[in-house]
Amino acid sequence: MKKFIYISLIACLTVSSSCKKFLDQVPNDRLTLEETFTNRATAEKFLANVYNNVPDEFGQRNPGGSKNAGLWTGGSDEADFVWGFVQSNAMNIGSWDANTGFVGDFWKNYYRGIRSASFFMANVDKVSNDMSPELKVQYKAEARALRAMFYFYIMRLYGPVILLGETVTPPDAPADQIQLPRNSFDECVDYVTSELDKAALDLPVLPVNDDNYGRITKGVALAFKAQTQLLAASPLYNGNTDLANLKNKDGKQLVSQSVDLNKWKKAADTYKAFINQFAPGTYSLFKKNDAAGNYDPYLSCRDLFLNDWNSEVIFARVQTSIRSRQYELTPYHNGKNSDSKGSGGLAATQNQVDAFFTANGRSINDAQSGYVNSGFASTATKYTKAGIYNPWVNREPRFYVNITFNGSTWLNTANGEIITELYNTGNSGKATGGGDYSTTGYIVRKAMGLGKWGVDNRTNILYRLGNVYLDYAEALNEAEPGNGDVLKYLNLIRERAGIPQYGTGSLDFPAGQAEMREAIRKERRVELAFENVRYFDTRRWKIAEQTDNGPIYGLNITSDLPAFLNVVPFETRVFTKKHYLWPIPANDVNVDKELIQNPGW
């Protein structure tokens, strides 16, 4: 009996007009799997469908689903969505389990992607002579890398998973065909990293032309290898005795119970090799000058997310939910032009606001930071007007890139200057917006464009060189505390951000491994804010029981000024030990008799 597969392309591999051309080639009907691999065009559509499993992280109002959008922004201590239907809100109060929809979506989608990648690799050689042998080798490498990346994505959620290896299972095969136990986490890491090494051998360093942006390159494969090793070295999986009882039915231990510092060294070595090979030649930190030709840290940190395929981007997804994300980032702005009137529904927490440094590069609780926690500024600064609340004045440039606060000037000035008012009866306050308002009195701003919010043509950066530098600094500090590269790469991030580097002026070096670890974690929280990193950092560091459990803070949004400025808890969140690992979907545990559930679920 012939199996049928629908050939569709949701995530095309090109951009702008090229994307449209690629989409135009999609068949209107369904093809048998045999027919799919008779010619280049339909085989490429199959590979494009494998790519479709790359997550669309701008679509987090509807996590899971067909786009693998996460819950990482609203589900961390960075932010909060106003709408009750957003599933990160349920996660935040502990109202989710092994039967929850998104829990099953990620598991199902990524395993379907894994099976599809294997199927493609096993069948692409059947394509007739309109595909060159060299292109077949490259496409196999892309599929191999994608398969390994999908394993990485599920490992960071569920922990040790089932490795299917080279078993070729049709993408639409019933789930009950798989009766396998989980592999140990170390086995998963070894497999994923070796697969990425194999793929990297046959991948180009850069896209062969502009129509191929978004495809897997050598740099993408090796960057994911490094991330996998960083995850393996982290406390969640490196000697975590809380998972001592996570064993298969035959007693096989799935998470190592002894700390292995060599795992940090492996990760550090891989990051260093990546930097030596690719930076600053292939990739470099994005920097931009102002109109007068002077370096501008604000423009550099802002436009990094607005200029597609700039020098810092290692991996990004095309065809994203940027329109819905920008609707969330644009305040309600009652009475203003529709191009500047959104919802403001993605709120930044006070916890995250307070994490940003002051202009002199210090934390706000540092006695030398110059932070003023009350009153209003009598004069204007480079980033703020006179009359702005002092806690938001004289902060570092990244604060103004990331946060919309009461009194901010809106980015889109095409229809005149708009001042955002977030107090209760302000133009974007709770009383004014009805169901569209910020739950904290702050709105996430990062990656917001400068024009109308209703656009559909910008990519979503999933990994960039700034991540690499901070990942490397973290791994190296654990493997070789005191190594000069730790401070070097931490300071490169601070230099681009326009704040003093450690060891310059009056800003002392972090003294010792523990202080350096804290400095690196603070820098990650600021530099990578709202980029789907914080959620996973707090979990792999095993600190989410402190950061994501208990009261989360914002401003008093039910009041006007000045009471609006009072910091109050807006939600009590729930995070217990069992939440470090997601539950395996209940249906899969019921079907696969060898598959054991994660602890506590």
Side-chain angles (χ1 to χ4, degrees):
M1 178 178 175
K2 289 185 177 180
K3 290 182 178 291
F4 286 84
I5 184 166
Y6 284 92
I7 305 294
S8 64
L9 181 61
I10 301 174
C12 79
L13 309 178
T14 56
V15 291
S16 64
S17 60
S18 300
C19 180
K20 184 178 186 300
K21 288 186 290 185
F22 205 87
L23 285 168
D24 287 343
Q25 302 173 37
V26 178
N28 294 321
D29 202 357
R30 60 183 181 176
L31 302 174
T32 66
L33 291 175
E34 292 82 359
E35 290 171 329
T36 297
F37 292 98
T38 57
N39 64 77
R40 174 176 173 174
T42 51
E44 286 180 336
K45 305 307 179 297
F46 191 100
L47 179 58
N49 274 313
V50 180
Y51 270 94
N52 187 53
N53 290 282
V54 172
D56 173 11
E57 300 294 22
F58 280 156
Q60 294 190 15
R61 268 186 271 165
N62 300 290
S66 63
K67 294 185 176 182
N68 289 324
L71 305 89
W72 327 132
T73 306
S76 73
D77 62 350
E78 292 179 322
D80 185 66
F81 277 98
V82 64
W83 305 291
F85 68 84
V86 178
Q87 291 299 295
S88 57
N89 288 323
M91 172 178 280
N92 289 336
I93 60 173
S95 183
W96 61 298
D97 57 29
N99 292 297
T100 301
F102 62 77
V103 170
D105 286 348
F106 290 105
W107 181 271
K108 173 184 65 180
N109 291 347
Y110 283 129
Y111 268 113
R112 183 184 295 124
I114 288 165
R115 294 197 302 270
S116 295
S118 296
F119 197 87
F120 177 87
M121 293 163 63
N123 286 279
V124 68
D125 285 331
K126 297 176 183 177
V127 176
S128 58
N129 58 12
D130 62 342
M131 182 185 290
S132 70
E134 294 78 13
L135 194 57
K136 290 178 183 178
V137 169
Q138 179 186 326
Y139 282 174
K140 282 184 184 179
E142 290 180 27
R144 185 181 298 277
L146 284 165
R147 183 175 68 178
M149 290 158 59
F150 298 155
Y151 275 119
F152 166 78
Y153 282 137
I154 54 175
M155 287 161 59
R156 66 179 185 170
L157 295 178
Y158 305 95
V161 296
I162 300 169
L163 295 176
L164 300 179
E166 298 306 309
T167 303
V168 180
T169 306
D172 54 352
D176 59 7
Q177 286 190 10
I178 299 175
Q179 295 291 312
L180 294 170
R182 298 167 75 171
N183 289 82
S184 72
F185 197 79
D186 286 345
E187 288 172 340
C188 294
V189 170
D190 289 344
Y191 176 76
V192 168
T193 55
S194 65
E195 286 293 286
L196 290 167
D197 275 335
K198 290 177 187 176
L201 293 173
D202 295 319
L203 290 168
V205 172
L206 288 171
V208 293
N209 55 53
D210 288 350
D211 287 351
N212 283 273
Y213 279 113
R215 302 196 84 102
I216 304 300
T217 61
K218 190 182 297 290
V220 174
L222 294 178
F224 271 80
K225 174 187 175 182
Q227 289 182 85
T228 304
Q229 291 176 326
L230 184 72
L231 183 64
S234 299
L236 183 58
Y237 296 112
N238 194 357
N240 183 2
T241 56
D242 290 338
L243 296 178
N245 293 324
L246 182 55
K247 300 177 181 180
N248 281 340
K249 292 181 178 179
D250 63 1
K252 179 178 180 177
Q253 190 83 54
L254 297 184
V255 173
S256 173
Q257 292 301 289
S258 58
V259 176
D260 183 358
L261 290 178
N262 191 53
K263 291 180 178 180
W264 287 110
K265 187 177 188 311
K266 280 185 178 180
D269 288 348
T270 300
Y271 280 111
K272 181 60 172 176
F274 181 97
I275 292 169
N276 288 343
Q277 183 172 1
F278 297 111
T282 306
Y283 309 111
S284 59
L285 292 181
F286 178 80
K287 294 185 177 181
K288 188 171 184 177
N289 293 338
D290 61 21
N294 301 311
Y295 175 68
D296 192 315
Y298 170 81
L299 293 179
S300 298
C301 294
R302 186 193 72 183
D303 292 2
L304 161 61
F305 300 93
L306 306 185
N307 294 7
D308 277 344
W309 309 116
N310 64 67
S311 63
E312 188 163 343
V313 178
I314 297 172
F315 187 47
R317 179 186 164 116
V318 298
Q319 281 209 335
T320 66
S321 300
I322 183 63
R323 179 185 176 93
S324 60
R325 171 51 64 99
Q326 293 201 149
Y327 178 71
E328 299 158 5
L329 306 187
T330 304
Y332 188 74
H333 289 154
N334 187 43
K336 303 301 180 182
N337 184 281
S338 60
D339 289 347
S340 299
K341 183 178 181 180
S343 69
L346 181 55
T349 65
Q350 187 73 50
N351 309 54
Q352 180 60 41
V353 166
D354 289 346
F356 289 96
F357 301 112
T358 53
N360 64 8
R362 296 176 180 272
S363 298
I364 63 171
N365 59 1
D366 186 321
Q368 299 182 60
S369 67
Y371 179 74
V372 179
N373 65 2
S374 62
F376 299 87
S378 58
T379 59
T381 70
K382 181 177 180 180
Y383 301 115
T384 57
K385 295 178 178 293
I388 293 296
Y389 190 45
N390 275 326
W392 310 327
V393 178
N394 293 320
R395 301 295 289 271
E396 60 160 311
R398 290 176 297 191
F399 176 84
Y400 303 102
V401 170
N402 280 270
I403 304 295
T404 295
F405 50 88
N406 188 70
S408 298
T409 302
W410 185 236
L411 294 167
N412 184 357
T413 59
N415 297 295
E417 183 179 87
I418 300 173
I419 302 299
T420 301
E421 302 165 351
L422 291 163
Y423 52 86
N424 189 37
T425 60
N427 61 27
S428 304
K430 181 178 181 181
T432 305
D436 292 334
Y437 61 92
S438 164
T439 58
T440 67
Y442 303 97
I443 301 172
V444 175
R445 181 176 282 213
K446 192 176 214 172
M448 180 66 211
L450 307 183
K452 60 184 182 179
W453 62 262
V455 299
D456 292 303
N457 60 350
R458 218 171 65 237
T459 62
N460 177 195
I461 298 175
L462 297 176
Y463 200 65
R464 57 184 177 91
L465 189 62
N467 295 71
V468 169
Y469 285 174
L470 289 171
D471 289 357
Y472 175 49
E474 178 186 343
L476 190 60
N477 183 58
E478 301 300 330
E480 299 177 36
N483 187 304
D485 267 5
V486 177
L487 193 62
K488 173 184 175 180
Y489 286 95
L490 182 61
N491 273 340
L492 283 174
I493 296 297
R494 292 174 70 86
E495 178 187 33
R496 195 263 297 274
I499 55 176
Q501 300 169 54
Y502 291 112
T504 61
S506 62
L507 198 60
D508 294 334
F509 296 106
Q513 185 185 40
E515 285 195 23
M516 182 62 79
R517 182 186 298 125
E518 184 65 19
I520 292 168
R521 290 184 177 186
K522 285 183 176 181
E523 202 69 41
R524 291 180 69 87
R525 188 174 187 183
V526 171
E527 173 69 17
L528 305 175
F530 312 120
E531 294 183 53
N532 312 302
V533 173
R534 175 71 175 172
Y535 178 98
F536 297 103
D537 277 353
T538 59
R539 283 146 182 80
R540 66 183 180 85
W541 293 334
K542 287 189 67 182
I543 65 170
E545 288 167 272
Q546 292 76 52
T547 62
D548 291 48
N549 188 52
I552 303 292
Y553 294 92
L555 300 177
N556 183 11
I557 62 169
T558 60
S559 296
D560 287 332
L561 293 167
F564 163 76
L565 300 171
N566 294 333
V567 175
V568 297
F570 70 88
E571 183 173 55
T572 299
R573 294 188 174 177
V574 175
F575 190 99
T576 64
K577 285 192 185 300
K578 75 174 184 178
H579 293 121
Y580 281 110
L581 296 184
W582 281 28
I584 306 296
N587 183 63
D588 290 83
V589 174
N590 293 334
V591 168
D592 182 351
K593 303 307 180 185
E594 296 296 317
L595 184 61
I596 55 99
Q597 183 57 276
N598 278 328
W601 296 100

